Amino acid sequence: MDQVLRDRVRQRAGHRCEYCRLRQVHSPSPRHQIEHIVPLKHHGSDEEGNLALACAQCNLGKSSNLTGIDSVSGGIVPLFNPRTQIWDEHFTYEGAWILGLTPTGRATVDVLNINSDPDRVQLRIELLLNGELD
């Protein structure tokens, strides 16, 4: 994967995580990472349509997972795909918490530990108070 492709992925995402929406400028972690939606180990590719921008925490949480368990139905469901799905249809904010609206949204929040780390939630609280959470 060359730098031109990496830059296109970053620009397409508006320099924010496509899972938790954390902007790069607000991230306490290193630079956001280029993430394979379908991991290479599951025969994914480096094609632009299989790449997303993810903060380090979301990328580590997702790892090579393709599915998760919906907390409501108990069923195994695919994780959110930012190339084929719309964030607002699967997630919403409740204050600084990101909630899943669908089975895919709920499983993604759980697998990526989006609300599990108190530091991540605290950062979103601070961004919310400063009017910078969107």
Side-chain angles (χ1 to χ4, degrees):
M1 177 182 335
D2 65 18
Q3 191 60 46
V4 171
L5 178 56
R6 290 175 181 277
D7 290 343
R8 270 200 319 264
V9 172
R10 290 179 188 289
Q11 290 171 356
R12 178 184 64 202
H15 300 277
R16 71 186 203 177
C17 177
E18 295 187 72
Y19 297 100
C20 74
R21 291 194 158 180
L22 179 65
R23 294 189 180 282
Q24 177 66 63
V25 297
H26 298 133
S27 179
S29 299
R31 192 169 186 192
H32 284 4
Q33 303 166 355
I34 306 300
E35 190 267 327
H36 291 85
I37 298 165
V38 176
L40 296 174
K41 78 181 281 182
H42 293 297
H43 309 290
S45 71
D46 284 340
E47 293 179 17
E48 190 171 351
N50 188 47
L51 302 175
L53 190 63
C55 69
Q57 294 88 348
C58 283
N59 198 19
L60 287 171
K62 182 172 178 286
S63 184
S64 62
N65 291 301
L66 296 171
T67 63
I69 298 175
D70 174 27
S71 59
V72 173
S73 71
I76 297 172
V77 298
L79 297 178
F80 177 70
N81 181 330
R83 295 288 67 76
T84 62
Q85 297 173 308
I86 299 169
W87 196 92
D88 292 332
E89 292 178 3
H90 293 276
F91 307 96
T92 190
Y93 286 106
E94 185 173 290
W97 290 79
I98 296 174
L99 303 180
L101 299 172
T102 64
T104 287
R106 290 187 292 269
T108 301
V109 167
D110 183 49
V111 170
L112 277 61
N113 301 308
I114 288 176
N115 296 316
S116 299
D117 180 357
D119 292 336
R120 291 180 82 181
V121 175
Q122 182 60 41
L123 175 58
R124 288 196 302 266
I125 289 170
E126 292 169 16
L127 292 171
L128 181 65
L129 292 173
N130 292 329
E132 297 178 274
L133 186 66
D134 60 329

